[in-house]
Amino acid sequence: MKTFSLGTDALGAGVAVALLAGCGVLRQAQDDMQPPGAMPRTTIAMRAAQRSGFGIPAPVSAKSGIYVSENLSSRSDVFGYANNNRSNGPPICSENASSTYDLAVDDKGDLIVPEYNAIAIFKGPSMCGRKLGSLHTIWDDDYPVDATSSDAETGTIAVGVIQDAGSGVGSIELCTLKSGCKTNLTHGSAMNLVFAVAMSKKGDCWASSATPTALTYFRGCSGSGQPATGYANPSAGGLDIDKNGNLVSISCSVVSCSTPALYVYSGCKPHCKKIGGPFSMQGASMYGHLNEDSSRFATADYQYGQIDIYKYAPMGITYTYSFDNGLSAGARMGAAYNPRSRE
């Protein structure tokens, strides 16, 4: 196994990245930054359920909420929290899934969880529904980290792959639950280390990549892609689309996160017009997603092991509160509202 280091960022989140020789698969290892021997803060009952291979269903009243993924070297979890968790309550439910980085919710409230070389789909619109099924990436040794779809059960799912085993560079794979992943979109070495993907209702796709930091646009989610000009992010990071069709872009990743910030762009087809940002964020958050009316933005803060909630507008964000009950500092994390932003 050939190993190389991407260094340590100024926020103290140490990251080591390994490349499996011969197959080009990117893997990530991070420390569980808890004291030695410390017990996770999640309830004992929930941990027991996760170990036994079963998630915990949500109460009947849980029609909406916030999904959180957490991936440490020792475990992988997907939890559901109350939509308003100012009281820092524990998870209300969980899914039996092993998230790699981010997760997402579609227009129907179905949950999309990228796992190692697979993507799992769970039934919505209520929280923590039954598993609808899973699909595999094009190559067995691909490493998906993000995904998005307006209809994960019957429509197209765009999957962000850090580095696929076929081309050796980052890509977007287009998949369906019925047929799996069949189409691979890439822009060569200019789109290496893809950390995030976005797809509009009109069927356009974007990929955020880290080496070099770039945003790549695929009209109609097809072709060889175009570099998005006017893209000002100094670092790659998570993507979302607000109710006005603006691209919401986090500048922070495990590769580089000296100054976590949020940018808002219009266009990017391929020219981006910056309409907001950089907006400062609380800690090192690589991923985040908007709620249904784009009034709130939840980010997964891996520096402090918490979910940070902001009031959102294209011209500015305002921090409101955080919750961390059941989460651990140092975990690779994603956060997504259910229901999600209505573009």
Side-chain angles (χ1 to χ4, degrees):
M1 178 180 293
K2 180 181 179 182
T3 304
F4 60 96
S5 174
L6 293 177
T8 303
D9 63 41
L11 294 168
V15 180
V17 179
L19 186 63
L20 292 182
C23 45
V25 178
L26 235 148
R27 296 181 183 274
Q28 169 107 21
Q30 284 183 287
D31 294 329
D32 176 348
M33 300 163 67
Q34 298 185 97
M39 291 297 292
R41 287 172 285 178
T42 309
T43 62
I44 295 174
M46 184 164 286
R47 285 297 180 203
Q50 290 294 105
R51 286 195 300 271
S52 66
F54 295 95
I56 294 179
V60 176
S61 59
K63 301 297 183 182
S64 65
I66 301 174
Y67 284 111
V68 176
S69 62
E70 182 179 67
N71 189 311
L72 294 162
S73 57
S74 58
R75 63 180 184 273
S76 301
D77 298 297
V78 173
F79 300 130
Y81 287 86
N83 196 11
N84 186 338
N85 196 23
R86 288 180 179 270
S87 62
N88 198 25
I92 59 173
C93 62
S94 67
E95 295 284 21
N96 181 27
S98 298
S99 169
T100 52
Y101 278 77
D102 198 18
L103 39 63
V105 174
D106 72 4
D107 285 348
K108 300 188 300 181
D110 294 345
L111 175 65
I112 310 167
V113 183
E115 301 182 295
Y116 174 63
N117 80 12
I119 299 90
I121 312 298
F122 296 89
K123 182 69 174 176
S126 295
M127 298 292 289
C128 298
R130 63 181 176 85
K131 188 173 184 178
L132 291 172
S134 62
L135 53 106
H136 288 278
T137 51
I138 294 176
W139 293 277
D140 287 341
D141 288 329
D142 286 347
Y143 197 84
V145 294
D146 196 18
T148 185
S149 177
S150 60
D151 185 350
E153 184 174 5
T154 62
T156 299
I157 304 168
V159 178
V161 176
I162 287 184
Q163 194 173 50
D164 66 56
S167 66
V169 296
S171 71
I172 297 174
E173 294 187 7
L174 301 180
C175 318
T176 64
L177 184 57
K178 180 179 180 180
S179 302
C181 300
K182 303 295 185 182
T183 303
N184 181 260
L185 305 176
T186 188
H187 194 63
S189 59
M191 197 175 116
N192 197 26
L193 298 188
V194 167
F195 280 114
V197 62
M199 180 168 60
S200 71
K201 288 186 180 298
K202 294 182 179 179
D204 293 331
C205 287
W206 293 266
S208 172
S209 53
T211 54
T213 298
L215 182 71
T216 305
Y217 168 64
F218 294 88
R219 182 178 180 180
C221 294
S222 62
S224 58
Q226 297 172 274
T229 59
Y231 178 67
N233 282 44
S235 301
L239 299 172
D240 204 358
I241 300 175
D242 71 14
K243 67 179 182 180
N244 298 312
N246 298 316
L247 195 66
V248 181
S249 176
I250 292 176
S251 179
C252 178
S253 76
V254 293
V255 173
S256 174
C257 191
S258 59
T259 307
L262 188 73
Y263 291 76
V264 182
Y265 301 96
S266 64
C268 297
K269 301 179 180 181
H271 179 69
C272 297
K273 179 181 178 181
K274 189 179 75 170
I275 61 174
F279 305 131
S280 298
M281 299 168 68
Q282 290 294 301
S285 294
M286 187 172 172
Y287 295 109
H289 287 288
L290 293 156
N291 68 347
E292 186 174 20
D293 65 0
S294 296
S295 64
R296 294 290 183 270
F297 189 61
T299 65
D301 186 342
Y302 67 83
Q303 181 185 6
Y304 297 117
Q306 63 189 27
I307 303 303
D308 298 328
I309 307 298
Y310 299 85
K311 182 179 179 180
Y312 171 83
M315 300 305 294
I317 61 173
T318 303
Y319 171 75
T320 57
Y321 73 96
S322 300
F323 63 86
D324 66 354
N325 196 331
L327 302 175
S328 302
R332 301 193 298 268
M333 299 165 62
Y337 274 102
N338 176 31
R340 75 170 191 172
S341 169
R342 301 292 181 183
E343 178 191 337

